[in-house]
Amino acid sequence: MRIILIGYGVVGQSLSNIFLSRRLENLRNYGFNPKVVAITDRGGTAINCKGLDLKRMQKVKIKEGTVAADNEFGHPQIDAQSVLQSVEAEIMIEATSTNITNGEPGLSNIKTAFNTGKHVVTTNKGPLAIAFPTLTELAEHNKVLLRFSGTVGGGTPILEFAKKCLAGDKITEMHGILNGTTNYILTEMTEKRVTFNKALKSAQTLGYAETDPTMDIDGLDTATKIVIIGNWIMNKKFTLKDVAISGIRDIKLGELDTASKKGKRIKLIGSINGKPTVAPKEIHKNNPLCVSDVLNAVTFFSEYAGRQTIIGRGAGGSETASAVLRDLLDIKYNLANKMIMLE
């Protein structure tokens, strides 16, 4: 399986670590032997049609800041679009930064991959939030697969749980804590009675929040995940502009104290129950959805199984990379089954 990896930040390098550390296990248990033939980052591309040495690429990236600096396989002048159009591969992994304004460059990368017959695994929420229905239709038209487990829940298999474990049932609504940064901030404010600004600073110091935390604290990150869940799990055809969004920026200690006196906690909840929404809500402290620190939790309500909740860590390079590996194996199984059906 030949792979083009677009984006070589935390997730891309974590995936390289998994490929290296679990190579023999993946080959023995799953017959999975990935060959990364190209890696693109902001400085250019490294290409080797026989397969790049991932240890070598990691060293070059750390030392020079870009894989394009490799003296044998580096190509500073070649960008992602050129790679996708010229390098033969079965799969593209899209791991560039999320952009919810226009979805770029991820949106164009995914479309080009589809149009050149490549399956796609993405950890980039932007293109899906903006154009999920369009992308799934384009994938179907080109007879390729689109997978994106790492966009919701990181290493926690939230999408797989709902899609596969509740297959045959009808999910009628969902509610979830889908952003670990905001959950950490609200936990700190509630348990340590610190102000929003102090809790945010703590989150930034620990690496939970970016220097610009807008995506998290204003509810936009949660909203992108609501779009993905709604489209993929509940067959709702909506995009980011259809979500009513409120963040936690204006939450005061007094509101948290009032909720606590009632045996409740305020959490940033993404919901699909009628109109998709993201907003701070009071939930009872004994509700399984009421998790603390950086945990994520999602409750699905289905017609037959009733209420089901899944809880886990929602972020991190290794966690998200493990979701990419799940997606790659899923594509491998799908392609193998298709070959069996054709025989």
Side-chain angles (χ1 to χ4, degrees):
M1 182 180 285
R2 295 171 297 181
I3 294 170
I4 295 172
L5 175 55
I6 308 297
Y8 205 50
V10 174
V11 173
Q13 292 176 64
S14 295
L15 184 62
S16 289
N17 289 333
I18 289 177
F19 283 167
L20 289 167
S21 64
R22 296 192 59 188
R23 180 181 175 277
L24 293 178
E25 184 178 349
N26 286 332
L27 184 60
R28 181 177 63 250
N29 294 342
Y30 309 111
F32 180 63
N33 186 25
K35 182 189 295 183
V36 180
V37 295
I39 298 174
T40 297
D41 58 25
R42 292 176 182 175
T45 302
I47 302 172
N48 183 357
C49 293
K50 295 181 180 180
L52 290 164
D53 181 335
L54 296 180
K55 284 186 178 179
R56 173 173 173 161
M57 291 300 102
Q58 288 177 324
K59 289 178 181 178
V60 172
K61 178 71 174 181
I62 292 170
K63 183 179 179 180
E64 305 292 344
T66 174
V67 294
D70 186 89
N71 58 16
E72 184 176 358
F73 302 110
H75 301 274
Q77 75 281 8
I78 297 181
D79 62 11
Q81 288 292 303
S82 300
V83 170
L84 292 169
Q85 291 167 1
S86 63
V87 177
E88 291 188 5
E90 285 72 47
I91 294 180
M92 177 196 74
I93 298 172
E94 218 295 330
T96 61
S97 300
T98 294
N99 172 2
I100 62 167
T101 302
N102 57 18
E104 298 297 347
L107 185 57
S108 291
N109 291 340
I110 292 172
K111 288 180 177 180
T112 301
F114 287 162
N115 290 330
T116 54
K118 297 175 181 66
H119 307 288
V120 171
V121 174
T122 182
T123 61
N124 187 341
K125 298 180 287 291
L128 302 179
I130 290 171
F132 195 107
T134 300
L135 291 175
T136 52
E137 289 174 9
L138 186 60
E140 185 175 349
H141 175 75
N142 285 282
K143 296 181 172 57
V144 292
L145 299 171
L146 171 63
R147 294 293 182 264
F148 38 84
S149 297
T151 60
V152 179
T156 304
I158 291 171
L159 297 178
E160 292 97 327
F161 173 76
K163 191 76 170 179
K164 297 179 180 179
C165 297
L166 295 177
D169 208 338
K170 180 182 179 181
I171 296 175
T172 56
E173 63 180 276
M174 66 74 55
H175 307 273
I177 295 171
L178 292 162
N179 182 272
T181 300
T182 54
N183 203 39
Y184 173 83
I185 290 170
L186 291 172
T187 299
E188 286 287 288
M189 291 177 70
T190 300
E191 296 181 357
K192 297 183 180 179
R193 298 206 77 260
V194 297
T195 64
F196 170 82
N197 287 333
K198 286 185 177 180
L200 172 58
K201 185 175 182 180
S202 174
Q204 290 171 323
T205 299
L206 293 170
Y208 298 148
E210 301 289 341
T211 303
D212 178 2
T214 301
M215 278 284 291
D216 295 322
I217 64 176
D218 287 343
L220 297 169
D221 178 72
T222 298
T224 63
K225 296 169 182 175
I226 288 295
V227 172
I228 295 167
I229 292 172
N231 279 267
W232 184 240
I233 304 301
M234 301 174 68
N235 201 30
K236 306 284 188 181
K237 302 297 183 183
F238 62 82
T239 60
L240 188 61
K241 61 182 175 58
D242 301 308
V243 185
I245 308 170
S246 298
I248 67 165
R249 194 184 290 267
D250 297 324
I251 295 292
K252 300 294 189 295
L253 282 174
E255 298 172 73
L256 297 170
D257 290 341
T258 299
S260 294
K261 290 175 182 177
K262 295 185 287 185
K264 297 181 177 182
R265 301 288 185 266
I266 293 178
K267 299 290 185 180
L268 184 67
I269 304 293
S271 298
I272 304 174
N273 184 18
K275 183 176 177 61
T277 62
V278 175
K281 296 180 181 178
E282 289 185 0
I283 59 174
H284 198 278
K285 65 180 182 180
N286 294 328
N287 187 321
L289 201 60
C290 191
V291 294
S292 60
D293 205 48
V294 294
L295 288 175
N296 282 196
V298 177
T299 296
F300 294 101
F301 291 84
S302 59
E303 198 168 74
Y304 301 117
R307 184 172 71 177
Q308 305 282 332
T309 301
I310 181 168
I311 299 169
R313 289 181 61 86
S318 297
E319 292 85 352
T320 304
S322 72
V324 172
L325 179 58
R326 288 201 307 268
D327 284 345
L328 291 171
L329 291 174
D330 182 65
I331 290 175
K332 181 182 183 299
Y333 292 146
N334 271 276
L335 297 180
N337 289 337
K338 187 177 292 185
M339 291 298 296
I340 291 171
M341 291 175 66
L342 291 173
E343 291 177 353

